[in-house]
């Protein structure tokens, strides 16, 4: 790709201190863009103010501590939001003078050539879309050649080609499993499919869902899959796991991800308890909607002992709210198996990460997960607790099965390598650059 090409990604998820699967996607996407030889811009929603001497400081403060709450009394904030309806969203360049010590953030952010930020951009865009049904349009000086929004957000940038990644249609496929406002979500996806210069997605399953639900032409939506880095900078992986959590290497099962309905954690716990295996189960994930319902079997009359990162429930289940990325990778690498029985996924990063790190996988036979796992995992019907129980028992006792899954996982993970991801992404960008940008809408 020409070194003069500039591609921007948004920092909607990158700015979250504890990150998300989409934040991991954004980091990998940014790294792939720079790996293609293009220059990388970032568009954030962090309030950095009008003083250029403070913008870099305020930007990295928010990256480390979270975006601060809108100051002032509720009535004052309401007036400020009302006035913002009639003002254009100001986008400021954030100087990158190298004055900030960034060591603790280096694993979260790709290497940007230019950083831009507009105060509470994504919240403002949501309010604008609710009020008008239209996307918030932003202007920047010297816009990039492509603006790649990593998530469906109701924003477009003038003077460039706007590309949106639709990871999945879970709010529409499993409407009972999310809290999204379904009418608004449907209208936003409908607008993206109609007006975007291109749509990107991360699996053939998701691509087929978007085509079936919204009738987008096949040449306007590309599946690039995705990639992820599981490189671990230190060699003391075994000591960390034993010292911090009291866990033996290859002596526990691991689930990680949000505790929410689509992740199927309730059935996982039921299957694990029913298996009666001696191998502990470690759950890593923040509690989200209906988490108490999913965890009901663990909280009924069981006293837990606090640990450094979470709660040990009885002797067999360790529940962790959050662990840093490096420590999570060591937990994955030293697990006897990763269990990820999600009801539906657009991709399913935990399956790929586990295969890259040489850990056997039990996962669901729904959505995109069969594409990612191939023949390198034990596949189960996520609604069948008995099948999940049997898979746990098999992986717990059959060492030959575990070795076969590890070997097959190494091969399968290679299909999602960084090199292959760059090639797919580069081909999509080349096709987009060959076309003129869509006719710009009037700026809000």
């Amino acid at each position: 790709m020409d070194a003069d090409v500039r591609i921007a990604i948004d920092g909607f998820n990158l700015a979250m201190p504890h990150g998300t699967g989409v934040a991991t996607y954004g980091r990998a996407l940014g790294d792939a863009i720079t790996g293609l030889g293009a220059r990388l811009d970032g568009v954030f929603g962090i309030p950095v103010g009008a003083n250029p001497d403070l913008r870099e400081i305020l930007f990295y403060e928010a990256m480390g501590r979270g975006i601060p709450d809108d100051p002032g009394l509720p009535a004052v904030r309401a007036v400020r939001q009302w006035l913002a309806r009639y003002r254009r969203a100001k986008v400021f360049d954030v100087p990158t003078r190298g004055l900030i010590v960034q060591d603790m953030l280096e694993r979260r952010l790709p290497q940007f050539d230019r950083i831009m930020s507009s105060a509470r951009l994504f919240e403002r865009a949501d309010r604008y879309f609710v009020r008008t049904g239209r996307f918030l349009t932003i202007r920047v000086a010297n816009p990039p050649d492509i603006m790649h929004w990593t998530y469906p957000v109701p924003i477009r940038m003038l003077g460039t080609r706007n590309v949106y990644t639709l990871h999945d249609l879970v709010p529409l496929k499993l409407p009972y499993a999310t809290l999204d406002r379904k009418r608004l979500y449907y209208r936003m996806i409908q607008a993206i499919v109609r007006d975007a210069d291109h749509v990107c997605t991360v699996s053939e399953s998701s691509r087929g869902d978007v085509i079936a639900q919204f009738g987008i032409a096949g040449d306007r939506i590309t599946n690039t899959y995705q990639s992820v880095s599981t490189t671990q900078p230190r060699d003391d992986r075994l000591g960390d796991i034993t010292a911090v959590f009291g866990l033996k290497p290859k002596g526990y099962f691991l689930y990680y991800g949000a505790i929410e309905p689509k992740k199927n954690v309730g059935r996982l716990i039921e299957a694990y308890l029913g298996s009666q295996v001696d191998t502990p189960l470690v759950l890593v994930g923040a509690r989200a909607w209906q988490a108490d319902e999913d965890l009901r079997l663990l909280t009924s009359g069981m006293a837990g002992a606090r640990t450094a990162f979470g709660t040990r429930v009885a002797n067999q289940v360790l529940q962790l709210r959050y662990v840093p990325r490096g420590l999570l990778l060591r937990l994955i690498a030293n697990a006897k198996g990763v269990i990820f029985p999600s009801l539906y996924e657009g991709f399913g990063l935990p399956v790929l990460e586990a295969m890259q790190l040489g850990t056997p996988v039990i996962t669901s036979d729904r959505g995109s997960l069969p594409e990612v796992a191939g023949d390198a995992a034990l596949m189960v019907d996520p609604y069948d607790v008995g099948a999940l129980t049997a898979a746990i028992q098999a992986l717990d006792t059959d060492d030959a099965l575990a070795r076969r899954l590890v070997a097959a996982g190494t091969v399968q993970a290679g299909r999602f390598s960084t090199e292959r991801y760059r090639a797919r992404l580069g081909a999509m960008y080349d096709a987009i650059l060959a076309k003129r940008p869509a006719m710009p809408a009037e700026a809000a």
Side-chain angles (χ1 to χ4, degrees):
M1 182 170 286
D2 194 319
D4 291 331
V5 171
R6 289 177 40 239
I7 300 174
I9 64 173
D10 67 272
F12 176 57
N13 284 274
L14 288 171
M16 297 180 182
H18 290 168
T20 64
V22 181
T24 302
Y25 170 80
R27 170 63 195 263
L29 176 64
D31 289 343
I33 290 169
T34 57
L36 287 168
R39 288 182 291 167
L40 179 66
D41 295 352
V43 178
F44 289 78
I46 294 172
V48 294
N51 184 345
D53 293 331
L54 282 175
R55 287 178 197 160
E56 188 176 17
I57 295 169
L58 296 175
F59 177 83
Y60 284 105
E61 178 190 33
M63 285 299 304
R65 301 175 60 182
I67 298 175
D69 293 333
D70 197 2
L73 297 171
V76 175
R77 291 199 299 269
V79 170
R80 197 156 43 227
Q81 291 175 8
W82 183 82
L83 291 173
R85 293 179 175 187
Y86 306 101
R87 294 197 299 264
R88 282 182 177 168
K90 292 183 179 179
V91 183
F92 295 103
D93 274 274
V94 177
T96 51
R97 295 171 291 180
L99 303 179
I100 307 298
V101 178
Q102 300 181 29
D103 299 50
M104 66 179 293
L105 299 175
E106 64 180 357
R107 294 179 65 87
R108 285 179 50 198
L109 291 179
Q111 190 64 47
F112 288 110
D113 294 291
R114 180 189 184 190
I115 295 174
M116 297 166 277
S117 195
S118 177
R120 308 183 201 285
L121 173 64
F122 304 102
E123 295 92 332
R124 181 175 179 182
D126 281 342
R127 290 195 298 268
Y128 184 76
F129 185 68
V130 169
R131 183 170 61 89
T132 68
R134 294 187 290 141
F135 279 26
L136 182 70
T137 305
I138 59 173
R139 299 175 185 266
V140 302
N142 190 21
D145 299 285
I146 293 174
M147 176 65 233
H148 190 155
W149 304 99
T150 65
Y151 198 72
V153 291
I155 313 173
R156 60 174 290 111
M157 182 183 286
L158 283 179
T160 186
R161 301 158 180 87
N162 286 268
V163 179
Y164 298 80
T165 292
L166 302 184
H167 296 265
D168 56 53
L169 293 182
V170 167
L172 305 180
K173 299 291 289 186
L174 280 74
Y176 43 81
T178 77
L179 289 176
D180 300 86
R181 293 173 290 181
K182 305 306 184 295
R183 290 185 177 87
L184 283 171
Y185 180 85
Y186 186 91
R187 285 165 47 200
M188 182 169 60
I189 303 302
Q190 195 174 43
I192 288 172
V193 167
R194 183 186 66 234
D195 298 333
D197 291 278
H198 203 75
V199 174
C200 176
T201 191
V202 295
S203 66
E204 287 302 311
S205 173
S206 288
R207 183 174 183 272
D209 286 343
V210 177
I211 291 172
Q213 185 94 41
F214 293 96
I216 187 172
D219 62 352
R220 293 190 58 240
I221 180 169
T222 299
N223 166 31
T224 61
Y225 286 117
Q226 61 185 99
S227 186
V228 66
S229 172
T230 51
T231 302
Q232 299 177 75
R234 297 187 299 175
D235 294 326
D236 55 343
R237 303 168 193 170
L238 304 187
D240 279 357
I241 297 306
T242 303
V244 176
F245 302 110
L247 296 167
K248 296 179 181 178
K250 301 300 179 183
Y252 56 92
F253 290 112
L254 174 67
Y255 163 84
Y256 64 101
I259 310 295
E260 61 183 6
K262 81 161 186 170
K263 299 298 186 182
N264 206 27
V265 177
R267 289 187 183 88
L268 164 59
I269 293 170
E270 184 179 351
Y272 170 76
L273 295 176
S275 73
Q276 297 186 321
V277 299
D278 293 329
T279 304
L281 172 65
V282 178
L283 304 173
V284 179
R287 290 174 177 241
W289 177 51
Q290 288 193 348
D292 289 341
E293 177 67 17
D294 283 328
L295 300 174
R296 68 190 186 284
L297 291 176
L298 299 184
T299 56
S300 299
M302 292 186 179
R306 304 299 293 179
T307 70
F309 290 92
T311 303
R312 184 179 293 280
V313 183
N315 292 320
Q316 290 298 98
V317 181
L318 178 63
Q319 182 190 340
L320 310 174
R321 297 294 181 88
Y322 168 77
V323 296
R325 173 73 175 169
L327 194 52
L328 174 62
L329 292 177
R330 290 190 280 278
L331 276 170
I332 300 166
N334 288 284
K336 189 168 195 174
V338 164
I339 309 175
F340 191 70
S342 185
L343 299 179
Y344 214 87
E345 292 289 334
F347 185 81
L349 273 175
V351 174
L352 176 58
E353 289 169 330
M355 292 190 301
Q356 285 183 342
L357 291 168
T359 300
V361 176
I362 298 172
T363 193
S364 164
D365 62 2
R366 304 297 171 93
S368 66
L369 292 168
E371 290 178 62
V372 179
D375 61 358
L378 293 180
M379 310 290 295
V380 298
D381 178 345
Y383 296 93
D384 187 340
V385 174
L388 186 51
T389 297
I392 292 170
Q393 291 170 332
L395 191 55
D396 189 59
T397 58
D398 191 337
D399 291 340
L401 171 64
R403 288 193 295 271
R404 180 184 70 78
L405 293 177
V406 169
T410 300
V411 175
Q412 180 68 9
R415 297 172 181 168
F416 304 97
S417 67
T418 299
E419 293 74 22
R420 292 190 178 191
Y421 180 50
R422 285 179 188 165
R424 289 189 287 262
L425 200 63
M428 181 185 74
Y429 287 148
D430 285 341
I432 293 168
L433 289 168
K435 301 177 182 178
R436 294 176 61 87
M439 186 65 68
E442 184 64 29

